[in-house]
Amino acid sequence: MDSLQNNGEQSAKFKRIRRMIITRVLIAPFLIVMLVCGVLVYFFADALGRKAQGELSRITDGHRALVDEFLAEQVSALEFTATTRSFTELSEGDALGALFMDLKSKFPAFEDIGVFDEKGRHAAYVGEYDLEGKDYSNTDWFKAVSRRGVYVSDVFKGYRNVPHFVIAVQRIEGGRPWYLRATIDTAYFSNLVKAVRVGSTGQAFIVNGKGVFQTGLSSGERLEEPDPDWRLYRKADAGVESFTAQASDGNTYLYAVGRLQQTGWLLVVRQKATDAYAPLARAVAVAVIVIALGGGVVVLTAYVLASGLAGQLAVVEVEKREMSNKLLAAGKLAEVGEMSAGMAHEINNPLQVMMAECYLINDVLNDLEIPDKNLTPADLSTIRDSMAQISMQISRCSLITQGLLKFARKTDPALHEVDLGDMVEDVVSMVDKRAHIDGVSIAVSAEKGLPRIMSDESQLQQVFLNLLNNALYAVHNRHGAEIRIEVQQEHNEIVVSVADNGCGIEPENLSKIFLPFFTTKPVGQGTGLGLSTCYGIVERLGGRIEVQSEPGAGTVFTVRMPLSQAHAHPGA
């Protein structure tokens, strides 16, 4: 049972040491490394996100310049045509048709062309619709071009009832204005805008200043319809802005928005966030996996190293305990050696008495061998008295040897209630004869009714026997040698002081006396284990041992042992 209990304690201690190493030595640095890795991944992801936004902004800005250039070319072509032709030339005959064919060959986006007089009447027209003679004086585009001189309209249906937009320029000839207008092929322009493709989900479209589609979405034509997501980018400034937002269809998009210089329209390029940030997601996923795998390897390595280190510490602890037990045993042997002289003298006296009684019995028996000599009552009484005396002396020797054996016996550590006053008396009885022979007076003063402590009596006996032996050595051959032992309660402690009036301890040695193998005794008279063993025992039992000494005046060793909780506050 004791073996199983020790194994259980060792296993629990091993786990406790391993847990302590992992938590105190490894987890804190590991968490710091993980935090640093997390911060690095965050900034890495942020950099890649900014890169994705920057790339989309760059593409949008380039495409915006392309669309602006396209519109500028169409406007310049119409302005040049209006400047190099007269109203009369274009409004009569087939000149407008020939001109349109020439423009069409150079600028395929033109769908039709028309000439208007100062009142907005369609004077001439080349195209698929019957628009010649129509009055446009009240239309928005006519009013706008009359004010501005050049105008690119929003998409509208007009007389043809088909969504389209026009470019119109004004020419002043002879003080009277006239107008040249061309319709841009909506499909051609939409394809131009949609030509920018980003990823697998990229879309490009144009809305006017009121959020109305000027080109269709890839998902379907929605010209002249309001964009439900207009609120997301209506504040776009002259530059290109990029941002991530959730659209009305429930998807999250990466947007890039730029305003066209020619018309004030907004070019919107958007891409699903899952598509736009796919490289980012893959990179972050790889980084997280690498960090997780690295962390797992670190944790596993830490666990293995901690287990190995804890195992080594456990082995060291076992070796330390074994060494401590050996030191205790060596200390006991040393104390037995110190006691042996007194014990030998104390046992020798009963032996001398028994020897004298044996001689007396032998004389009686010799007398009985004489012929006709009978055993008298006096002889019988003598034999009986001698036998009683021998029995008494044997009992006395038995008590002496039992005390020695009780002290020297190897016992397992066990805590139980100990009365320090009684125990000190028992220890003093072991050395009392030796002290008497050496002429040393030992005085014991113990308070009455002292509470018991929970401790190991055998080990405490070894402590106080060692202190008494040291005191006896210190007062050897000293006139008026005296050892005073006091046992009393101070607060929550039982205090035992062993004071002598011996030679004392030099100040430079006071800090060394509890070190193993340090001794001030001559070679062959001290092992240097006694006080170090005492210090270890008292510390393990939860107490303290202190020393005060003055060379030539004496030394006081004080042992303070804590009371058990039940006796800590007697008045409670």
Side-chain angles (χ1 to χ4, degrees):
M1 290 294 291
D2 291 340
S3 177
L4 291 175
Q5 184 177 359
N6 290 335
N7 290 337
E9 291 177 357
Q10 287 298 323
S11 178
K13 191 164 188 177
F14 170 80
K15 293 178 180 178
R16 190 164 58 251
I17 294 174
R18 182 178 62 194
R19 185 167 59 250
M20 180 189 69
I21 294 173
I22 292 175
T23 54
R24 297 184 182 180
V25 180
L26 299 173
I27 284 186
F30 177 74
L31 290 178
I32 293 174
V33 171
M34 289 296 102
L35 180 61
V36 171
C37 291
V39 171
L40 292 177
V41 169
Y42 170 79
F43 283 107
F44 176 64
D46 183 65
L48 287 182
R50 291 178 182 274
K51 181 180 179 182
Q53 291 184 359
E55 183 67 15
L56 190 63
S57 296
R58 184 188 63 79
I59 293 173
T60 302
D61 189 46
H63 200 60
R64 180 185 63 164
L66 177 65
V67 174
D68 264 331
E69 184 179 356
F70 167 79
L71 293 175
E73 285 180 352
Q74 314 310 305
V75 171
S76 296
L78 280 184
E79 286 183 321
F80 179 77
T81 299
T83 303
T84 57
R85 302 287 195 281
S86 65
F87 176 77
T88 303
E89 180 182 355
L90 295 178
S91 60
E92 295 179 355
D94 296 329
L96 185 61
L99 174 63
F100 178 68
M101 294 302 293
D102 183 54
L103 285 174
K104 184 75 172 175
S105 64
K106 298 177 182 177
F107 303 97
F110 287 130
E111 190 174 51
D112 60 20
I113 194 169
V115 178
F116 300 79
D117 61 18
E118 59 182 325
K119 296 181 179 181
R121 185 181 63 84
H122 214 157
Y125 171 76
V126 176
E128 298 179 3
Y129 301 95
D130 184 15
L131 302 177
E132 191 171 347
K134 299 287 185 181
D135 183 7
Y136 287 85
S137 59
N138 292 322
T139 60
D140 292 337
W141 70 265
F142 186 77
K143 293 176 182 179
V145 74
S146 297
R147 294 192 308 270
R148 303 178 186 176
V150 177
Y151 180 67
V152 180
S153 72
D154 290 341
V155 172
F156 67 102
K157 291 183 179 180
Y159 287 115
R160 67 188 73 187
N161 202 30
V162 174
H164 65 286
F165 75 96
V166 299
I167 299 175
V169 298
Q170 182 189 61
R171 166 80 188 280
I172 306 296
E173 187 178 340
R176 299 173 63 184
W178 61 276
Y179 306 92
L180 183 62
R181 186 195 79 169
T183 302
I184 300 299
D185 186 345
T186 304
Y188 186 95
F189 184 67
S190 292
N191 289 334
L192 174 67
V193 173
K194 295 175 185 178
V196 55
R197 300 290 295 176
V198 182
S200 60
T201 60
Q203 296 175 322
F205 56 90
I206 291 177
V207 295
N208 65 9
K210 296 180 180 180
V212 177
F213 283 109
Q214 303 300 297
T215 62
L217 284 168
S218 300
S219 56
E221 298 298 325
R222 295 164 59 179
L223 295 177
E224 288 193 298
E225 293 182 14
D227 183 2
D229 300 319
W230 163 243
R231 59 181 176 79
L232 298 176
Y233 44 79
R234 63 185 176 185
K235 295 182 180 180
D237 208 345
V240 175
E241 296 181 5
S242 62
F243 54 90
T244 302
Q246 186 175 18
S248 57
D249 62 0
N251 293 315
T252 299
Y253 290 91
L254 174 61
Y255 285 90
V257 182
R259 193 174 295 277
L260 299 178
Q261 295 179 358
Q262 294 292 328
T263 60
W265 294 342
L266 290 178
L267 172 64
V268 181
V269 180
R270 72 180 188 181
Q271 183 183 10
K272 284 186 177 180
T274 53
D275 184 25
Y277 294 128
L280 167 62
R282 287 193 295 269
V284 171
V286 170
V288 169
I289 291 173
V290 170
I291 292 173
L293 291 176
V297 171
V298 170
V299 170
L300 180 61
T301 304
Y303 181 83
V304 173
L305 292 177
S307 298
L309 183 57
Q312 293 178 6
L313 291 176
V315 171
V316 170
E317 180 65 22
V318 171
E319 293 176 349
K320 177 183 175 182
R321 183 175 300 177
E322 291 178 352
M323 182 61 68
S324 177
N325 291 335
K326 291 179 179 179
L327 286 175
L328 287 175
K332 279 193 174 185
L333 290 176
E335 301 306 327
V336 169
E338 293 283 344
M339 296 166 58
S340 60
M343 291 292 183
H345 189 275
E346 195 166 352
I347 291 175
N348 187 58
N349 289 335
L351 290 177
Q352 292 296 329
V353 173
M354 285 188 285
M355 181 64 71
E357 296 298 332
C358 285
Y359 282 140
L360 184 59
I361 293 172
N362 190 52
D363 289 341
V364 172
L365 293 177
N366 287 334
D367 289 341
L368 291 177
E369 291 178 355
I370 299 173
D372 299 326
K373 181 67 173 178
N374 295 321
L375 183 65
T376 66
D379 293 333
L380 184 60
S381 176
T382 300
I383 293 173
R384 285 175 177 166
D385 289 342
S386 296
M387 293 300 295
Q389 187 64 236
I390 291 172
S391 177
M392 183 177 66
Q393 297 303 322
I394 290 174
S395 297
R396 182 181 174 188
C397 290
S398 177
L399 288 174
I400 295 170
T401 56
Q402 282 179 5
L404 181 62
L405 290 174
K406 181 180 178 182
F407 172 75
R409 185 184 299 119
K410 182 178 180 181
T411 58
D412 293 329
L415 298 181
H416 53 82
E417 289 190 343
V418 178
D419 187 325
L420 279 180
D422 292 344
M423 192 207 69
V424 168
E425 293 282 358
D426 292 340
V427 173
V428 170
S429 67
M430 296 181 188
V431 298
D432 192 47
K433 193 67 177 180
R434 175 188 169 191
H436 180 71
I437 294 172
D438 291 343
V440 180
S441 171
I442 300 179
V444 180
S445 173
E447 287 185 7
K448 299 297 182 181
L450 285 175
R452 294 172 177 269
I453 65 171
M454 291 298 297
S455 193
D456 187 303
E457 183 174 7
S458 175
Q459 293 193 10
L460 285 178
Q461 279 183 340
Q462 183 173 352
V463 170
F464 292 115
L465 184 60
N466 180 272
L467 296 180
L468 279 173
N469 281 329
N470 284 347
L472 288 171
Y473 180 84
V475 298
H476 184 64
N477 293 331
R478 189 178 185 89
H479 180 72
E482 182 183 13
I483 298 174
R484 300 180 307 279
I485 303 173
E486 294 183 358
V487 186
Q488 59 189 348
Q489 180 178 356
E490 291 183 4
H491 304 297
N492 295 331
E493 296 176 325
I494 299 296
V495 180
V496 181
S497 61
V498 179
D500 65 67
N501 61 349
C503 58
I505 303 172
E506 297 297 329
E508 61 269 19
N509 292 332
L510 277 177
S511 60
K512 307 175 186 176
I513 59 173
F514 293 118
L515 297 177
F517 306 109
F518 177 81
T519 181
T520 58
K521 297 177 181 178
V523 177
Q525 295 187 27
T527 63
L529 296 175
L531 287 177
S532 66
T533 302
C534 291
Y535 184 87
I537 291 174
V538 173
E539 287 289 317
R540 280 196 299 274
L541 294 176
R544 293 174 294 153
I545 184 169
E546 303 165 353
V547 60
Q548 294 177 330
S549 184
E550 183 178 346
T555 303
V556 180
F557 282 92
T558 304
V559 177
R560 300 178 180 273
M561 298 302 297
L563 289 172
S564 62
Q565 292 298 321
H567 300 112
H569 303 284

